[in-house]
Amino acid sequence: MEVGFLGLGIMGKAMALNLLRNGFGVTVWNRTLSKCKELVEQGASVGETPAFVINKCKYTIAMLSDPSAALSVVFDKDGVLEQICSGKGYIDMSTVDADTSSKISEAITKKGGYFLEAPVSGSKKPAEDGQLVILAAGEKALYEEMIPAFNVLGKKSFFLGQVGNGAKMKLVVNMIMGSMMNALSEGLCLADRSGLKEQTLLDVLELAAIANPMFKMKGPSMIQSNYPPAFPLKHQQKDMRLALALGDENAVSMPVAAAANEAFKKARSMGLGDLDFSAVHEVVKAAKGSGEA
Amino acid sequence: MAISSSFCPTISISSPRRPSPFPNSCCTFATVVSSQLSKEATKSVEFQGRVGFLGLGIMGTPMAVNLLKAGCDITVWNRTKSKCDHLINLGAKYESSPTEVASSCNVTFAMLAEPESAIDVACGTNGAAKGMSPGKGYVDVSTVDGATAKLINKHIKDTGALFLEAPVSGSKKPAEDGQLIFLAAGDASLYETVAPLLDVMGKSRFYLGEVGNGAAMKLVVNMIMGSMMASFSEGLLLSEQVGLDPNVLVKVISQGAISAPMYSVKGPSMVKASYPTAFPLKHQQKDLRLALGLAESVSQPIPIAAAANELYKAAKFHGLGDQDFSAVIEALRGKLQRPEH
């Protein structure tokens, strides 16, 4: 199977490599063309523009970092819309808000193309290992046709109905994740300041009903003040912001998420945006008893 | 401090799956007492000494039952006597006050619901301390604040007896299944002595040093848990309000990095607005309140926990204190509904 792949960042690069390794023909594009080099070495072809890739491939996957990049790739000059047409499928796996996704869907289908949103749950390592959780919505027929690719990229795929549902599901999951990261950080800081060993807290948590892979993965490096970016903090904060906006539109009360978002904002203001989202721990650690967060 | 040599019971734990000489028998071979009580495979222990158990609520009852089924000589007390009937029917002895339980036993456990009760049972007019003496041990497995633990510690040690705090992580089902986690601190020799009993009631145990450390660790763990449940509730409600199926959210979460047993266990019933009580909401709120107190005492801001605490307070105010702590989701709804039970 041949696919186009737009966006070779932390996630896109790992996903495209995975497809190549599993026998897919892949034509890549990235805004900074030099990032395509490693993919070419592994057997990918290069497209100079998104339009070129769309023209060449029946199916094109996009993996961009935020709504504005996702829109730009579609609507700008030499973008997807210039070449999308009947018989072609566009699968946007970026994490965006539902409105952005709807906008892209409408433009694609107006030109006769098929659209599927398919944001993923999972960061760098699951992407490398083909263990993502794929939250698809939109054109069901396109979803069926993409199953062979999804089976390589992920461990489980969900089809959630109409466009927007995938985006929303992803934001809800990441909202919970952002709050959980803050809760872990508060726990580590409180344990430390109460004279307990942080590692012992992690050992207890691993046995408890609240044990989860994220605590196990991130806890030890947080204790070391080490935050290698698997999921950049600026993207986590973007997701919390979008989730809060979704709650706002629907008048849903979310005080814990709001508090968590404040911590991520503060972390961004401290210049920690490009570190892993667990770097919010630095904010919680730095807070003094005066009540500033 | 005298460590009495008369209190060195012979302790061994039998494997719950020792092969039976009677292949069709469903009783374990371990002890006669155990096979009379239960046909399931249970842990068993030989503990030479009488064990007291004060407080037979949601947690105390299954914990005492497990000790009894393991072959221990158990003496119980509970403020409401009728709650002792089940244990008495299984063969436990009964005394009418904590003082009498403590004085007739070598080691006495206490499992009370909040600091005030723990203090009263240990240090009150008919409290355990009055029955304590050198050679005896008191193990308080209630969840309290550090100051309470230290107060009880002092009263017990003033009698010459040994003290261990050992609050647990795990609620009703882990208690029934003998799968609790003990977070112990205090007298190290008492910890060694009661370790086999802890192993009957639990799956793991930690010794954390001086009194107060057990309480602190428990509060930190339950603070994280309270925040996670509140966040999970926000997610379920948001998914519902934006047209997603919250049951699918539960499934999606179970596949990813934030998958936790608590979510898979509680999620489906929360979606149906059903909150059968494994861990009462009022106790979760108590734990958050105590954690906030601890945090303030060490100058650690915990805004997420503080936000979560407000939700539990609101739920308590609306009469949901005796429901499972997952009922906190009701505090997020615009119009608080009465849950089905």
Side-chain angles (χ1 to χ4, degrees):
Chain A
M1 190 175 170
E2 286 263 344
V3 297
F5 207 107
L6 312 178
L8 301 176
I10 294 176
M11 295 297 287
K13 173 175 156 185
M15 291 161 74
L17 278 172
N18 230 339
L19 289 168
L20 278 168
R21 259 186 253 117
N22 280 274
F24 284 71
V26 183
T27 303
V28 299
W29 169 87
N30 192 64
R31 190 175 53 183
T32 313
L33 269 175
S34 59
K35 286 216 179 147
C36 298
K37 193 153 161 251
E38 197 183 327
L39 274 299
V40 169
E41 283 164 15
Q42 299 293 321
S45 314
V46 180
E48 282 184 7
T49 62
F52 179 96
V53 175
I54 295 283
N55 177 267
K56 185 174 175 209
C57 304
K58 183 167 154 110
Y59 306 102
T60 300
I61 295 172
M63 191 47 145
L64 290 323
S65 56
D66 55 47
S68 91
L71 288 166
S72 156
V73 148
V74 171
F75 288 95
D76 286 0
K77 182 173 178 308
D78 297 324
V80 169
L81 278 184
E82 287 187 8
Q83 290 292 326
I84 196 83
C85 59
S86 171
K88 290 192 185 284
Y90 186 64
I91 302 97
D92 196 339
M93 302 186 76
S94 320
T95 294
V96 300
D97 56 295
D99 281 346
T100 296
S101 199
S102 297
K103 213 187 239 172
I104 294 173
S105 174
E106 208 184 295
I108 300 284
T109 48
K110 221 167 170 180
K111 292 233 155 158
Y114 291 102
F115 178 76
L116 191 70
E117 66 177 1
V120 303
S121 187
S123 64
K124 187 175 176 191
K125 192 160 196 315
E128 290 166 349
D129 299 343
Q131 293 292 299
L132 297 169
V133 178
I134 299 168
L135 307 171
E139 186 62 57
K140 185 104 203 277
L142 180 53
Y143 173 74
E144 303 288 340
E145 287 166 48
M146 288 306 291
I147 282 176
F150 287 166
N151 285 343
V152 164
L153 293 172
K155 63 169 168 171
K156 187 122 170 84
S157 304
F158 291 82
F159 183 74
L160 300 168
Q162 63 187 25
V163 169
N165 285 356
K168 290 172 186 172
M169 184 65 83
K170 172 64 189 286
L171 291 179
V172 175
V173 172
N174 272 28
M175 174 193 88
I176 298 173
M177 183 166 82
S179 294
M180 281 173 66
M181 176 53 80
N182 270 275
L184 174 64
S185 180
E186 288 183 357
L188 287 170
C189 288
L190 184 54
D192 185 48
R193 288 199 196 175
S194 305
L196 302 172
K197 291 208 189 86
E198 290 164 284
Q199 184 58 51
T200 307
L201 172 61
L202 292 181
D203 294 340
V204 174
L205 288 173
E206 201 171 331
L207 296 165
I210 51 176
N212 61 89
M214 181 180 81
F215 283 5
K216 186 169 173 163
M217 215 169 22
K218 304 286 187 184
S221 48
M222 286 164 74
I223 293 178
Q224 306 291 327
S225 300
N226 220 0
Y227 313 106
F231 181 36
L233 189 141
K234 64 190 178 192
H235 296 327
Q236 170 65 62
Q237 199 271 314
K238 175 251 303 172
D239 290 348
M240 296 229 60
R241 185 187 341 121
L242 295 178
L244 283 164
L246 192 55
D248 196 74
E249 283 160 37
N250 293 277
V252 178
S253 182
M254 295 158 49
V256 175
N261 187 49
E262 285 303 309
F264 286 117
K265 269 161 61 179
K266 177 100 190 186
R268 265 180 61 206
S269 79
M270 283 164 62
L272 306 175
D274 290 322
L275 294 176
D276 188 71
F277 77 117
S278 49
V280 72
H281 191 44
E282 291 298 311
V283 169
V284 184
K285 275 200 289 183
K288 302 281 191 294
S290 65
E292 48 172 288
Chain B
M1 179 179 66
I3 299 173
S4 170
S5 60
S6 68
F7 185 47
C8 295
T10 308
I11 295 151
S12 64
I13 299 187
S14 324
S15 154
R17 285 184 171 75
R18 206 185 274 173
S20 167
F22 306 104
N24 294 322
S25 161
C26 46
C27 299
T28 60
F29 189 49
T31 67
V32 172
V33 174
S34 166
S35 68
Q36 281 169 349
L37 293 170
S38 163
K39 297 216 187 282
E40 319 128 295
T42 53
K43 303 185 213 181
S44 64
V45 66
E46 285 166 35
F47 184 88
Q48 280 177 18
R50 297 182 56 184
V51 180
F53 210 106
L54 311 174
L56 300 177
I58 293 175
M59 297 297 287
T61 299
M63 291 166 80
V65 165
N66 279 335
L67 288 173
L68 196 57
K69 286 184 177 177
C72 293
D73 179 327
I74 301 282
T75 306
V76 299
W77 168 87
N78 192 64
R79 188 177 56 183
T80 311
K81 196 200 167 208
S82 57
K83 289 216 176 148
C84 299
D85 291 346
H86 178 54
L87 268 298
I88 293 169
N89 289 337
L90 290 174
K93 301 183 182 63
Y94 170 82
E95 293 288 349
S96 60
S97 72
T99 306
E100 288 168 275
V101 171
S103 70
S104 68
C105 294
N106 301 96
V107 169
T108 298
F109 285 87
M111 187 43 132
L112 291 320
E114 67 279 304
E116 299 70 30
S117 313
I119 292 172
D120 191 50
V121 162
C123 318
T125 318
N126 300 303
K130 294 211 172 124
M132 284 286 156
S133 54
K136 292 186 188 295
Y138 190 71
V139 184
D140 199 330
V141 294
S142 319
T143 294
V144 300
D145 56 296
T148 297
K150 288 173 184 165
L151 181 68
I152 296 172
N153 175 53
K154 179 170 194 314
H155 273 87
I156 296 296
K157 288 181 72 177
D158 280 350
T159 71
L162 305 177
F163 176 77
L164 192 71
E165 63 168 341
V168 301
S169 184
S171 65
K172 185 177 175 187
K173 191 159 194 318
E176 290 165 350
D177 297 343
Q179 295 291 299
L180 295 169
I181 304 166
F182 287 92
L183 306 170
D187 193 273
S189 64
L190 179 56
Y191 176 73
E192 295 302 325
T193 303
V194 300
L197 300 178
L198 303 186
D199 289 341
V200 167
M201 296 183 284
K203 64 175 177 179
S204 60
R205 49 187 164 82
F206 293 77
Y207 179 74
L208 301 168
E210 58 179 38
V211 172
N213 286 353
M217 184 63 83
K218 172 62 189 285
L219 292 180
V220 173
V221 171
N222 272 28
M223 174 191 87
I224 298 172
M225 182 166 82
S227 294
M228 281 174 65
M229 178 54 82
S231 170
F232 183 57
S233 299
E234 290 179 349
L236 284 173
L237 197 60
L238 180 60
S239 69
E240 201 183 275
Q241 295 295 308
V242 300
L244 300 172
D245 181 350
N247 284 303
V248 176
L249 173 65
V250 175
K251 289 204 183 87
V252 169
I253 286 175
S254 76
Q255 293 292 323
I258 56 170
S259 171
M262 179 177 81
Y263 294 152
S264 307
V265 168
K266 304 282 187 187
S269 48
M270 288 168 77
V271 172
K272 294 192 287 220
S274 169
Y275 316 105
T277 310
F279 180 38
L281 187 142
K282 64 189 179 192
H283 296 329
Q284 171 66 77
Q285 197 276 316
K286 175 251 303 176
D287 291 348
L288 275 167
R289 183 188 342 122
L290 296 180
L292 284 160
L294 174 62
E296 192 174 330
S297 76
V298 297
S299 299
Q300 175 62 53
I302 46 173
I304 271 67
N309 186 48
E310 286 304 312
L311 293 175
Y312 289 102
K313 276 162 56 182
K316 236 180 79 173
F317 181 71
H318 281 89
L320 301 174
D322 291 321
Q323 301 284 319
D324 187 71
F325 76 119
S326 48
V328 70
I329 191 174
E330 295 295 327
L332 290 163
R333 295 190 193 275
K335 250 188 334 194
L336 262 92
Q337 299 160 20
R338 282 271 146 191
E340 332 165 1
H341 188 56

